[in-house]
Amino acid sequence: MPYSSPLLELPRAVAPPDHHPEAGVPWHWGDPFAEQRTAARSVAVVDRSHREVISVSGPERLSWLHLVISQHVTELPPDSGTEALVLDTHGRVESHMVLAHTAETVHLDTDPGAVATSALPKGGQQPLIGYLEAMKFWSQVDIRDTTADHALLTLLGPETGKILDALGISLGEAPYSVASFEGGFARRMPWPARNSVDLAVPRADLAAWWTRITDAGARPAGSWTYDALRVESLHARVGVDTDERTIPHEVNWIGSAAHVAKGCYRGQETVSKVHNVGRPPRQMVLLHLDGSPEITPETGDPVLLGEKTVGRVGSVIQHHELGPIALALLKRSAPTTEELLAGAGDRRIQATVDPDSVPAEKAAPGREAAARLRG
């Protein structure tokens, strides 16, 4: 059965629309823009308990993971984390995960329904944990689906430290610092905003932890708030901002989630080649959408220059300050200072690329056009 968070039963919790990528957790709590403002100025907590968790233990956990994911983790210290990908043989993104190394276990949390192409000759996609199991061979590792044990809550905002103090959690200031507590762990994240912290709490005690956190002063916020900050900070979500052709370079995952120097992982040849001798065919940018029509494009819709398709729409969100915005994959050859159209059919509206989201070699003045659309 599809997952449904127990927090959806609380007063004011609003579920997302049908088939929404964040189905199963509260979309907002009655005032999504006020929730976003709180996350930017104070502290808010978001239920992300629909994420799946895979735990890898055993004496060879780091050396084995190093061979099957895109990140360099052979020397990942305890009480630290990172991000990583699983790629197909052509270097195309299949799954994204965030790691937390606690004591003798590495926890990998992923978007719900994460998949990877089978390593077997017949291929075909399978759940991510199935791929990892197939790659185990004789390695001394134990791979377990611990989604039933851990539920993720995320704190957002400059007053996050106040909540951690109230919970009795001491966490380092460095990105991806990890601190264990009874039944779970905390992990500091550099996005979707500064002072973001993920809390993996015992799933059986999810409602109790939510009450502790909100009683300590965090405002309930929905996945709408998290996504608005994620889009603003140019962080992709697999299956929304990526398609079957996306490589890590196109969505800002080189370095943060894919290591360019280490070898021996699937798709590494593409990662290294594009990094060293070429440019990716597309780039992810932030679009400011015309807010005057009561319509917005949808994920997967085209981005057009005149009648020519030059890109693909990803996440679309209403931001409390920026208005309607979206992430989009644009062809690298597409001009980024001209007005574009985003959407299909009756959803087609004007869009302008935020110049701050364009790589330095292509950036050019364009803030005025973006301001016109927001106005």
Side-chain angles (χ1 to χ4, degrees), residues 240-301:
V240 179
D241 303 300
T242 68
D243 58 19
E244 69 282 355
R245 297 183 292 118
T246 303
I247 59 176
H249 317 67
E250 297 176 329
V251 287
N252 305 328
W253 274 333
I254 293 299
S256 62
H259 199 280
V260 297
K262 79 157 191 150
C264 303
Y265 66 92
R266 192 169 70 172
Q268 180 270 338
E269 183 178 354
T270 296
V271 170
S272 179
K273 182 176 180 180
V274 174
H275 178 74
N276 290 316
V277 300
R279 292 181 177 180
R282 298 178 296 178
Q283 59 187 348
M284 186 173 68
V285 299
L286 178 67
L287 294 181
H288 294 274
L289 305 174
D290 185 355
S292 54
E294 294 184 1
I295 55 172
T296 55
E298 295 180 357
T299 298
D301 279 353

Side-chain angles (χ1 to χ4, degrees), residues 106 135 172:
V106 180
M135 297 298 291

Side-chain angles (χ1 to χ4, degrees), residues 120-352:
L120 300 176
K122 291 185 178 180
Q125 286 194 329
Q126 61 184 331
L128 177 59
I129 191 168
Y131 168 74
L132 297 177
E133 286 282 3
M135 297 298 291
K136 180 178 176 179
F137 301 111
W138 298 278
S139 300
Q140 297 182 57
V141 294
D142 179 37
I143 306 165
R144 295 182 298 121
D145 183 345
T146 56
T147 306
D149 300 327
H150 298 108
L152 207 69
L153 301 174
T154 295
L155 298 172
L156 301 168
E159 296 182 12
T160 290
K162 179 181 72 173
I163 306 301
L164 294 177
D165 290 343
L167 298 175
I169 297 173
S170 179
L171 183 63
E173 294 297 324
Y176 306 107
S177 294
V178 173
S180 298
F181 53 81
E182 186 175 357
F185 61 86
R187 177 184 59 217
R188 191 173 297 282
M189 293 294 295
W191 61 275
R194 288 186 296 177
N195 302 305
S196 300
V197 173
D198 292 335
L199 297 174
V201 304
R203 186 169 293 275
D205 301 327
L206 173 61
W209 273 89
W210 182 263
T211 299
R212 286 180 64 189
I213 292 168
T214 54
D215 284 352
R219 177 175 185 156
S223 60
W224 185 331
T225 289
Y226 187 92
D227 275 346
L229 297 179
R230 177 182 63 78
V231 170
E232 180 187 12
S233 63
L234 289 174
H235 280 84
R237 190 191 193 284
V238 172
V240 179
D241 303 300
T242 68
D243 58 19
E244 69 282 355
R245 297 183 292 118
T246 303
I247 59 176
H249 317 67
E250 297 176 329
V251 287
N252 305 328
W253 274 333
I254 293 299
S256 62
H259 199 280
V260 297
K262 79 157 191 150
C264 303
Y265 66 92
R266 192 169 70 172
Q268 180 270 338
E269 183 178 354
T270 296
V271 170
S272 179
K273 182 176 180 180
V274 174
H275 178 74
N276 290 316
V277 300
R279 292 181 177 180
R282 298 178 296 178
Q283 59 187 348
M284 186 173 68
V285 299
L286 178 67
L287 294 181
H288 294 274
L289 305 174
D290 185 355
S292 54
E294 294 184 1
I295 55 172
T296 55
E298 295 180 357
T299 298
D301 279 353
V303 178
L304 302 105
L305 178 64
E307 294 300 319
K308 181 182 178 181
T309 297
V310 294
R312 172 193 181 275
V313 175
S315 299
V316 181
I317 201 79
Q318 289 278 350
H319 189 280
H320 74 106
E321 288 184 336
L322 301 178
I325 55 176
L327 293 178
L329 281 174
L330 292 188
K331 292 180 180 179
R332 183 161 288 274
S333 60
T336 57
T337 57
E338 298 185 27
E339 288 194 352
L340 304 171
L341 295 173
D346 294 340
R347 297 190 299 272
R348 188 171 296 179
I349 59 175
Q350 287 183 312
T352 299

Side-chain angles (χ1 to χ4, degrees), residues 3-18:
Y3 174 73
S4 180
S5 170
L7 303 184
L8 280 169
E9 303 300 320
L10 296 179
R12 298 190 298 112
V14 178
D18 292 342

